[in-house]
Amino acid sequence: MFENDLTILQMNDSHAYLDIHQELFWEGDHAKYELAGGYARIATIFNQIREENPKTLVFDCGDTIHGTYAAVKTKGEALIPILNYLNFDAMTAHWEFAYGPEHFKKLTKKLNYPMLAINCYHESNNELFFKPWIIKEIGELKIGIIGIAATIVDKVMPASFSKGIYFTLGNEELPYYINKLRNEEKVDLIVVVSHLGFPQEMKLAHEVEGIDVLLSAHTHNRLYKPVLVNNTILIQSGCHGSFVGMLNLNISRGKVVNFQHKLITVSEDIKPDPVVENMVNLILKPYKDELNQFVGYTDTGLNRNTVLESTMDNFLLKSLLSETDAQIAFSNGWRYGAPVPPGKITLNDLHNIIPTNPPVSTVELTGKEIWMMMEENLEHLFARDPYNQMGGYLKRCMGLNLYFKVENPHGQRIQELYIAGKKLYMDQTYRAAYVTSQGVPPIYGKKRDQLDVHAVETLLNYLSRNQPLNAELQGTVITI
């Protein structure tokens, strides 16, 4: 071992999953569900590794303070003491902006570590909204840490997320900051903490020289082995706080000469840290009785781990159609949401499915608008240039059948599109139900109507009439 050994720990996309929860693991030809995660067990991992090697840095790549009932109810406030106890060295962000940029900034001032972003700017004066970088000194090492927030916040997410600010990709700014840290600040190592997504970060590492370690997030990749690209070590560590990434670096004369990586599963058998466990219990106590209410059964394992269609969203879409007189239903292609194995469903499960609990809306769309909207969404997901990829999985749909060629260029992917079993007509009007502007963006449709019912209520209503729940994959969207 070399004298200057450094351990880097990564958490990304934990989505405020405070406590242990179900997680999906693939096994052969099927999914299996096991308990994993929770910040108390993550704290145990962090503390043990810090004890083994005091030369340890711990980073949070974002999607942390939004995604579960307690987090949304308190606008992220509930998580601050836990995150401070976990004692990260720096973070960047994505869904944190859901509370509005100004509120998020107030939250960051309560953290004992910095929020970093080289690509988030005030609209009024083009000044950076957060610090772009920091330097940490570990022994004789000087480590430059640069943050890149999710670029899609002002592009495909609700307008309130980016009020008064705008985002770039960060690829044009990054070389400047690397040069400044290398040549002016004389750092030995550059670590980039990013929330762009694995395809974008792969391209970024190809293009930009001088990144030693790139901590990736957003796309929920479980990288069991790091990717080495252009002398950059890139890792990403799943989602829901079910995994922690550990990277051990052997460094000599400012160069990484060897590295070892492990994707640690935050498994049920890890003993919870008692301090964090107590914090979590206190946070959840006011909501426990309500959220633990039994609301139904499911025969279908509900999850969002599939790209074109998911069982979890089939449940949501069936609920939207049942609640309205719509012919078709749309929701966003969210990735997050702890799975629900076959069996009992609680109210907490429903809030995990859609923690923002938005109102249900309807809109009239022409066939042409549906076609264009789906082509746009396919491009956001499968764009040949990773920098043009935006958002999560494919927009979730029900009441239609779409056949497409993934390899075709933008605007030419859809081959066949049917509504209720009949070919779509471009000039015909169809009534659609949806949730959030990501379900049906504002540029599409007429006669928008926001109903006096919210998403979780529609899920409850549907469950009350459909026991046990069946929400199996239907082949709504098929690659051909």
Side-chain angles (χ1 to χ4, degrees):
M1 299 287 282
F2 291 85
E3 182 181 353
N4 290 319
D5 291 326
L6 176 69
T7 296
I8 291 176
L9 299 178
Q10 178 200 33
M11 185 180 82
N12 60 269
D13 299 278
S14 63
H15 289 286
Y17 277 82
L18 290 149
D19 207 356
I20 195 165
H21 54 269
Q22 296 289 341
E23 188 56 84
L24 181 147
F25 296 85
W26 297 111
E27 188 172 79
D29 63 352
H30 64 280
K32 66 175 183 176
Y33 300 92
E34 295 179 359
L35 289 170
Y39 293 137
R41 287 172 172 79
I42 291 171
T44 295
I45 293 170
F46 286 1
N47 291 339
Q48 286 177 348
I49 293 171
R50 281 169 167 146
E51 286 178 14
E52 291 168 5
N53 183 13
K55 296 179 179 180
T56 295
L57 293 174
V58 186
F59 298 106
D60 179 358
C61 291
D63 273 358
T64 303
I65 60 174
H66 187 286
T68 57
Y69 186 85
V72 174
K73 193 78 172 176
T74 63
K75 294 187 175 180
E77 294 277 358
L79 279 83
I80 300 300
I82 292 175
L83 297 176
N84 281 337
Y85 181 88
L86 291 173
N87 196 26
F88 293 95
D89 290 285
M91 74 173 290
T92 194
H94 174 210
W95 266 95
E96 286 77 8
F97 290 98
Y99 303 117
E102 290 304 325
H103 181 74
F104 176 36
K105 194 159 198 175
K106 289 177 184 176
L107 290 178
T108 64
K109 291 178 180 178
K110 297 179 181 181
L111 294 171
N112 59 15
Y113 53 90
M115 161 67 198
L116 304 178
I118 63 172
N119 62 326
C120 178
Y121 298 90
H122 288 278
E123 284 182 349
S124 58
N125 56 16
N126 298 321
E127 295 292 326
L128 284 170
F129 194 66
F130 290 110
K131 291 175 65 172
W133 54 268
I134 58 167
I135 292 174
K136 301 288 288 190
E137 296 191 21
I138 304 291
E140 297 179 0
L141 282 176
K142 285 183 72 175
I143 301 146
I145 299 142
I146 301 169
I148 306 179
T151 186
I152 66 170
V153 176
D154 63 341
K155 298 169 182 65
V156 296
M157 305 193 80
S160 61
F161 288 27
S162 56
K163 185 178 180 180
I165 60 174
Y166 69 93
F167 294 78
T168 65
L169 191 65
N171 60 322
E172 294 183 4
E173 297 96 319
L174 185 57
Y176 165 80
Y177 290 111
I178 290 174
N179 181 65
K180 182 178 181 66
L181 287 168
R182 289 281 189 197
N183 298 320
E184 294 181 25
E185 302 293 337
K186 305 298 182 184
V187 302
D188 300 293
L189 205 71
I190 297 286
V191 176
V192 174
V193 181
S194 172
H195 200 100
L196 293 178
F198 181 67
Q200 294 90 335
E201 287 145 350
M202 282 287 290
K203 181 172 180 179
L204 189 73
H206 271 292
E207 288 184 345
V208 178
E209 300 287 337
I211 307 169
D212 293 296
V213 175
L214 202 166
L215 302 178
S216 168
H218 180 55
T219 42
H220 295 194
N221 283 244
R222 301 175 189 177
L223 294 186
Y224 291 94
K225 293 182 180 180
V227 177
L228 188 61
V229 51
N230 195 20
N231 295 317
T232 297
I233 304 163
L234 188 155
I235 67 170
Q236 192 180 130
S237 307
C239 64
H240 300 145
S242 300
F243 304 89
V244 168
M246 180 174 71
L247 187 64
N248 292 318
L249 303 174
N250 303 140
I251 300 161
S252 178
R253 298 180 181 178
K255 297 289 185 182
V256 177
V257 295
N258 191 22
F259 63 89
Q260 306 85 32
H261 168 263
K262 183 179 182 182
L263 184 66
I264 302 168
T265 301
V266 186
S267 57
E268 185 182 10
D269 60 4
I270 293 172
K271 186 178 179 181
D273 178 271
V275 176
V276 177
E277 187 174 40
N278 185 55
M279 288 181 182
V280 169
N281 290 337
L282 288 173
I283 291 167
L284 296 180
K285 187 177 180 180
Y287 318 114
K288 194 171 184 179
D289 290 342
E290 178 187 3
L291 294 179
N292 284 346
Q293 288 181 66
F294 162 73
V295 295
Y297 287 96
T298 178
D299 280 345
T300 303
L302 306 176
N303 68 76
R304 285 197 169 115
N305 293 59
T306 43
V307 174
L308 303 182
E309 179 190 357
S310 79
T311 56
M312 186 174 284
D313 290 291
N314 280 353
F315 173 27
L316 175 59
L317 296 168
K318 284 185 173 188
S319 302
L320 297 179
L321 290 175
S322 178
E323 199 75 35
T324 66
D325 60 353
Q327 300 160 273
I328 49 177
F330 298 101
S331 73
N332 185 43
W334 291 294
R335 291 190 185 95
Y336 67 84
V340 183
K344 291 183 178 180
I345 303 175
T346 66
L347 184 60
N348 187 53
D349 293 325
L350 303 189
H351 281 285
N352 287 346
I353 289 171
I354 189 159
T356 54
N357 195 19
V360 176
S361 299
T362 59
V363 63
E364 290 186 359
L365 298 166
T366 65
K368 183 178 180 181
E369 286 178 314
I370 294 169
W371 190 289
M372 290 171 60
M373 182 175 71
M374 295 309 298
E375 279 283 6
E376 175 189 61
N377 195 238
L378 286 164
E379 173 65 9
H380 284 170
L381 181 57
F382 296 115
R384 292 178 178 180
D385 183 348
Y387 287 166
N388 292 331
Q389 294 176 14
M390 298 182 193
Y393 294 142
L394 190 70
K395 185 190 305 292
R396 305 312 192 178
C397 320
M398 187 164 284
L400 61 76
N401 294 95
L402 188 151
Y403 302 86
F404 77 103
K405 288 190 174 292
V406 68
E407 71 272 20
N408 280 11
H410 178 35
Q412 301 297 323
R413 289 190 175 93
I414 298 174
Q415 305 296 295
E416 302 277 357
L417 215 170
Y418 297 84
I419 305 290
K422 297 180 180 179
K423 274 207 170 188
L424 174 138
Y425 290 97
M426 293 293 188
D427 58 353
Q428 186 169 325
T429 298
Y430 302 90
R431 189 165 178 79
Y434 68 97
V435 284
T436 82
S437 60
Q438 292 168 286
V440 179
I443 61 171
Y444 298 110
K446 295 179 180 178
K447 297 184 179 179
R448 286 176 176 258
D449 185 18
Q450 185 172 294
L451 308 184
D452 190 25
V453 61
H454 286 246
V456 170
E457 186 181 348
T458 68
L459 294 170
L460 283 167
N461 292 342
Y462 187 80
L463 272 178
S464 69
R465 298 187 296 266
N466 296 272
Q467 290 290 324
L469 173 68
N470 184 296
E472 297 294 339
L473 300 180
Q474 300 179 359
T476 301
V477 180
I478 299 290
T479 54
I480 59 173

